[in-house]
Structures are given as C-alpha cells and as structure tokens.
C-alpha cells in the first residue's frame, strides 16, 4: 500500500470541523445581548428614519456618518498623491457632504467614501462585542473626527466633530465602559445602514448624476447601477463578516464584572 502524504493543509482542514464552527458561532449570553441590541438599533433606526420630526433624532449620527464618508475620500486621495483642500458637510434633504481635492487616483478615491464608511461601520459593530475593542476603535474614530476637524471649512462640520469627540471622551468614564460600548455599536449600525441605504438610493433607485457611483461608471464605461450593486455587496459582506467575527473571536469580555456564587 502506498504511503499517504499528510500535509499541514489537510491537518488544518481536519481540525476545523462542523462542530468547531458551530461552537465558534454560538453566541454567549453577553453576545446574545449584543445581537439583541443590534436588532433593536436596526428597528429603531428604520422607524425613526421615516417619521417626520422624530427623524431629527438621527440627524447628528447621520451627519457624523457623512463626515466619515468624506474623510474616507480624503484619506484615499492623500494616499494616492492628492492635494486636499477642504471637507464640508451641509444640512439638506440628503445630509450631503463635499470633499475638495486635486490629483489622486480616481479609481481609489471615488469608491472610498461608500466602502470606507461601510468598513468603519463594520469595524464598530465588531468592536461592539467587547468593551476593550470598543475603547480601541473609539480612539480610531476619535482620530478620524480630529482629522475631519482639521480639514473642516464650515461651522456645521466643526460642531458635529467636536460634539462626537466630546461624546467619546465622556463615555470613557462610564462604569466598565458599557456606555461607550453600546454607543460605538450604535454608531457602527448607523454607519453601516446609512452606507447601504446611500448606495441603494444613489445608484439602484435614483441613479443620481452626482453620485460617486455614477462618476465612477462614467470613467469605467459601465452601468452606475452595476457599480452600486457591487459596492452594496461588498458593504453587506463587511457587515456580515463583522458580526460573525465578533461571535467567533470576542467570546469573553474580561472588562465586564463577573459574578460568582460561593
């Protein structure tokens, strides 16, 4: 009988069984609370989004998401040699923003707003499964807001960024970081949903001439809806992956108080 060659890849494949995957993705009690919070956030955001006057509650978070969207454009531009001029957020029916720059690689800058803010949203959702991870990500978000503040050219952008930096700093002092954790989680859900809706609204539903996807499609000579659907798929993958990775790798939260019966 010929010897059977056992490679490291085959050993790794045998080590990962269906039960291992099932165990990794089975939520703990604390993780179930996070999943319930995510579901409640999604439901609350969808309800408030469509109710006149009450939707103003979401306005600061929408504008913060717009700030992250524009910052992603700016960072992509700077990384590809662009010269950044300004970041501006305006209050209008679409809560729009505008980043002015010259130079850079258009194929990197144009999709960076949608996909970058989707990635940041997914990162915040992932961090929401753990207090320490939430604190680390809150520092990243704080740095992003500071960069936005540096390049801001109107008072609304400055006010929004200062308010959220203050919120993040204040929540660091809540007991066991619980408040910070669930605000980071809410911002992640909000950013992810807003990015998904923005892609659908700008490309699949309306096909607006000024959207990033439309401009990208003009450069690549393909349909803007095709670009939008591709970016939508990537954004959905970011969000689903964040939840699955959170379930698999952030099982125990040592930052939370433990109760033991004697």
């Amino acid at each position: 009988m010929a010897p059977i060659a056992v490679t490291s890849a085959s050993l790794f494949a045998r080590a990962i069984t269906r039960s291992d995957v099932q165990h990794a993705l089975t939520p703990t009690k604390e993780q179930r609370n996070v999943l319930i919070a995510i579901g409640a956030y999604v439901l609350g955001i969808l309800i408030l989004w469509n109710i006149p006057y009450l939707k103003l509650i979401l306005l600061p978070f929408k504008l913060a998401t717009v700030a992250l969207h524009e910052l992603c454009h700016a960072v992509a531009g700077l990384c590809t040699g662009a010269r950044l001029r300004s970041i501006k957020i305006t209050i209008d029916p679409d809560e729009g923003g505008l980043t002015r720059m010259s130079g850079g690689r258009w194929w990197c800058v144009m999709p960076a707003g949608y996909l970058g803010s989707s990635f940041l949203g997914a990162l915040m959702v992932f961090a929401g499964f753990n207090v320490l991870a939430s604190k680390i990500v809150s520092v990243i978000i704080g740095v992003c807001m500071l960069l936005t503040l540096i390049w801001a050219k109107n008072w609304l952008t400055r006010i929004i960024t200062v308010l959220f930096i203050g919120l993040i700093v204040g929540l660091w002092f809540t007991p066991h970081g619980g408040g910070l954790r669930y605000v980071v989680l809410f911002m992640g859900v909000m950013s992810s949903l807003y990015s998904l809706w923005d892609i659908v609204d700008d490309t699949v539903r309306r096909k607006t001439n000024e959207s990033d996807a439309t401009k990208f499609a003009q450069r690549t000579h393909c349909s803007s809806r095709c670009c939008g659907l591709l970016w939508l798929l990537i954004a959905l993958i970011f969000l689903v992956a964040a939840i699955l990775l959170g379930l698999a790798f952030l099982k125990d939260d040592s930052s939370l108080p433990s109760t033991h019966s004697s």
Side-chain angles (χ1 to χ4, degrees):
M1 179 182 293
I4 300 175
V6 180
T7 64
S8 58
S10 63
L11 289 173
F12 181 73
R14 291 178 188 177
I16 302 178
T17 63
R18 180 179 297 181
S19 60
D20 292 330
V21 174
Q22 184 177 1
H23 173 73
L25 298 180
T26 299
T28 62
K29 180 179 179 181
E30 186 61 32
Q31 287 180 324
R32 284 195 294 270
N33 293 336
V34 174
L35 293 175
I36 291 171
I38 292 174
Y41 288 159
V42 170
L43 182 61
I45 289 169
L46 292 178
I47 291 174
L48 292 175
W49 200 290
N50 298 292
I51 298 178
Y53 302 110
L54 288 180
K55 65 182 181 181
L56 293 175
I57 297 173
L58 297 178
L59 183 60
F61 296 97
K62 285 185 178 182
L63 296 177
T65 301
V66 172
L68 293 177
H69 176 108
E70 299 304 327
L71 179 66
C72 290
H73 280 307
V75 171
L78 291 174
C79 290
T80 56
R83 182 179 179 183
L84 185 63
R85 297 177 182 175
S86 66
I87 294 178
K88 184 179 181 181
I89 301 172
T90 58
I91 292 183
D92 57 29
D94 298 311
E95 289 88 30
L98 178 65
T99 301
R100 296 186 179 276
M101 68 181 77
S102 57
R105 304 293 182 180
W106 62 268
W107 47 266
C108 183
V109 173
M110 288 183 182
Y114 289 130
L115 299 184
S117 57
S118 297
F119 177 79
L120 288 175
L123 183 64
M124 286 185 274
V125 170
F126 170 76
F129 285 88
N130 181 272
V131 172
L132 178 59
S134 297
K135 289 183 175 180
I136 294 172
V137 170
S138 72
V139 173
I140 297 174
I141 300 303
V143 170
C144 290
M145 289 297 181
L146 280 174
L147 292 175
T148 304
L149 184 62
I150 292 172
W151 291 314
K153 294 299 181 182
N154 68 328
W155 281 106
L156 177 62
T157 309
R158 295 180 184 128
I159 291 170
I160 289 296
T161 52
V162 168
L163 285 176
F164 272 87
I165 291 171
L167 177 65
I168 290 171
V169 171
L171 289 172
W172 264 76
F173 299 98
T174 57
H176 309 292
L180 178 66
R181 173 186 186 176
Y182 282 98
V183 168
V184 167
L185 182 64
F186 179 81
M187 291 179 65
V189 173
M190 181 71 196
S191 184
S192 297
L193 287 182
Y194 193 35
S195 298
L196 292 172
W197 173 251
D198 215 18
I199 294 172
V200 172
D201 198 38
D202 284 351
T203 61
V204 179
R205 289 181 69 247
R206 293 189 307 175
K207 194 182 177 181
T208 56
N209 293 327
E210 295 301 319
S211 71
D212 297 331
T214 301
K215 294 177 181 178
F216 189 83
Q218 291 171 353
R219 293 289 189 99
T220 57
H221 304 290
C222 66
S223 168
S224 62
R225 287 189 173 91
C226 180
C227 294
L229 287 172
L230 176 61
W231 295 354
L232 179 65
L233 177 62
I234 295 173
L236 283 171
I237 290 173
F238 283 160
L239 180 58
V240 173
I243 295 174
L244 294 180
L245 290 173
L247 288 174
F249 294 104
L250 299 179
K251 286 290 183 190
D252 299 319
D253 198 339
S254 58
S255 300
L256 295 175
S258 57
T259 57
H260 300 280
S261 59
S262 56

